[in-house]
């Protein structure tokens, strides 16, 4: 189906482990984004990408790594998970005009 | 000062009434403005966008933009219980022909439409 999909939908991991969240879009949008959403903070941008092989930091990039070898995929890796990274993570994509469309989200719990 | 500010609510309105949601932003370079609706446990869904000063209407929704006052609002006419959700305001420095530059979000206003 066309759209933007995230996997997994739910993930529980232990402190210190590496975990990768996947994001795939079928629209061929140039721009892709990773946000985290926490109570009291709203949506905060972690990383974004303007095209394949072009990525840039957002507001809260520490502890995260991204890559974009193909236009349609934008995985987010937590190199060594911490409890403060427990959150809901949203991937989004957009084309002209800044209109962004979101995936279903990944609820990550770090124990 | 937060870049995009919204009253967290909850804003309670009776069914059939007009709900008015407000948003202010600090970056005068902002060019495009968006309203997203987010149901509990779901992802944000784009419902309105506006690039020029004035009003933009789409069905029961009207977005209003006043760049001089750095103010964006969303009016929901004939509010329904299904409109109960959190409404997120977002701004972007890119205009209508610009690329998908990053959005800055407010923390959202919770709307409750009561029977």
């Amino acid at each position: 189906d066309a759209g933007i999909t995230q996997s997994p939908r739910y993930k529980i991991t232990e402190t210190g482990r590496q975990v990768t969240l996947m994001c795939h879009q079928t629209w061929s949008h140039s721009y892709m984004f990773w946000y985290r959403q926490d109570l009291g903070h709203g949506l905060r941008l972690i990383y974004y990408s303007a095209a394949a092989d072009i990525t840039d930091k957002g507001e809260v990039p520490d502890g995260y790594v991204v890559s974009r070898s193909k236009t349609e995929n934008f995985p987010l890796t937590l190199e060594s998970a911490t409890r403060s990274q427990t959150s809901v993570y949203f991937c989004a994509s957009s084309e002209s005009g800044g209109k962004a469309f979101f995936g279903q989200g990944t609820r990550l719990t770090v124990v | 000062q937060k870049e995009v500010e919204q009253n967290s609510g909850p804003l309670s309105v009776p069914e059939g009434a007009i709900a008015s949601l407000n948003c202010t932003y600090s970056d005068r370079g902002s060019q495009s403005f968006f309203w997203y609706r987010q149901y509990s446990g779901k992802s944000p869904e784009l419902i309105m966008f506006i690039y020029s000063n004035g009003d933009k209407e789409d069905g029961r929704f009207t977005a209003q933009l006043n760049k001089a006052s750095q103010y964006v609002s969303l009016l929901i006419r004939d509010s329904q219980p299904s409109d109960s959700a959190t409404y997120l305001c977002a701004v972007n420095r890119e205009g209508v022909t610009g690329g998908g530059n990053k959005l800055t979000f407010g923390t959202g206003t919770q709307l409750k439409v009561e029977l």
Side-chain angles (χ1 to χ4, degrees):
Chain A
D1 290 345
I4 182 166
T5 55
Q6 295 181 234
S7 62
R9 294 293 310 281
Y10 303 92
K11 176 75 176 178
I12 298 174
T13 191
E14 294 179 338
T15 301
R17 289 194 178 267
Q18 182 181 83
V19 60
T20 297
L21 310 183
M22 305 301 293
C23 179
H24 175 81
Q25 54 109 353
T26 59
W27 291 309
S28 298
H29 284 167
S30 297
Y31 286 81
M32 296 188 74
F33 310 85
W34 276 105
Y35 289 89
R36 60 178 288 175
Q37 188 173 39
D38 306 285
L39 278 174
H41 291 282
L43 283 161
R44 291 181 292 175
L45 183 66
I46 304 170
Y47 269 97
Y48 66 105
S49 169
D53 297 321
I54 300 175
T55 62
D56 206 350
K57 296 178 180 179
E59 181 185 355
V60 288
D62 293 344
Y64 303 95
V65 175
V66 293
S67 62
R68 193 158 177 217
S69 57
K70 294 183 178 181
T71 299
E72 61 266 30
N73 296 322
F74 191 39
L76 175 73
T77 298
L78 287 67
E79 295 182 293
S80 178
T82 65
R83 290 199 178 96
S84 65
Q85 292 177 310
T86 292
S87 187
V88 180
Y89 291 85
F90 288 104
C91 178
S93 70
S94 75
E95 199 50 63
S96 63
K99 298 184 289 292
F101 299 93
F102 285 79
Q104 321 95 304
T106 296
R107 185 174 294 275
L108 176 68
T109 302
V110 182
V111 298
Chain B
Q1 180 188 8
K2 290 183 179 178
E3 292 188 53
V4 180
E5 296 213 43
Q6 298 180 255
N7 189 318
S8 61
L11 172 66
S12 294
V13 299
E15 184 178 6
I18 296 175
S20 178
L21 303 159
N22 304 315
C23 170
T24 58
Y25 60 94
S26 60
D27 183 0
R28 286 196 171 272
S30 300
Q31 296 293 325
S32 50
F33 307 85
F34 306 87
W35 284 99
Y36 285 81
R37 178 177 61 198
Q38 187 174 25
Y39 293 114
S40 180
K42 301 295 185 181
S43 59
E45 173 194 8
L46 180 64
I47 55 171
M48 288 291 288
F49 53 92
I50 186 167
Y51 301 109
S52 304
N53 277 330
D55 294 359
K56 178 182 178 183
E57 185 175 318
D58 184 1
R60 295 187 297 112
F61 298 103
T62 298
Q64 299 175 316
L65 173 61
N66 183 327
K67 288 186 178 180
S69 300
Q70 296 175 248
Y71 178 92
V72 191
S73 64
L74 178 70
L75 301 178
I76 306 175
R77 289 180 299 282
D78 188 25
S79 295
Q80 302 296 310
S82 59
D83 294 325
S84 297
T86 296
Y87 289 80
L88 305 171
C89 174
V91 305
N92 188 330
R93 290 185 63 89
E94 294 290 341
V96 63
T97 58
N101 206 343
K102 53 188 187 292
L103 293 171
T104 301
F105 284 85
T107 53
T109 298
Q110 185 183 6
L111 174 66
K112 293 185 176 180
V113 181
E114 299 167 334
L115 295 170

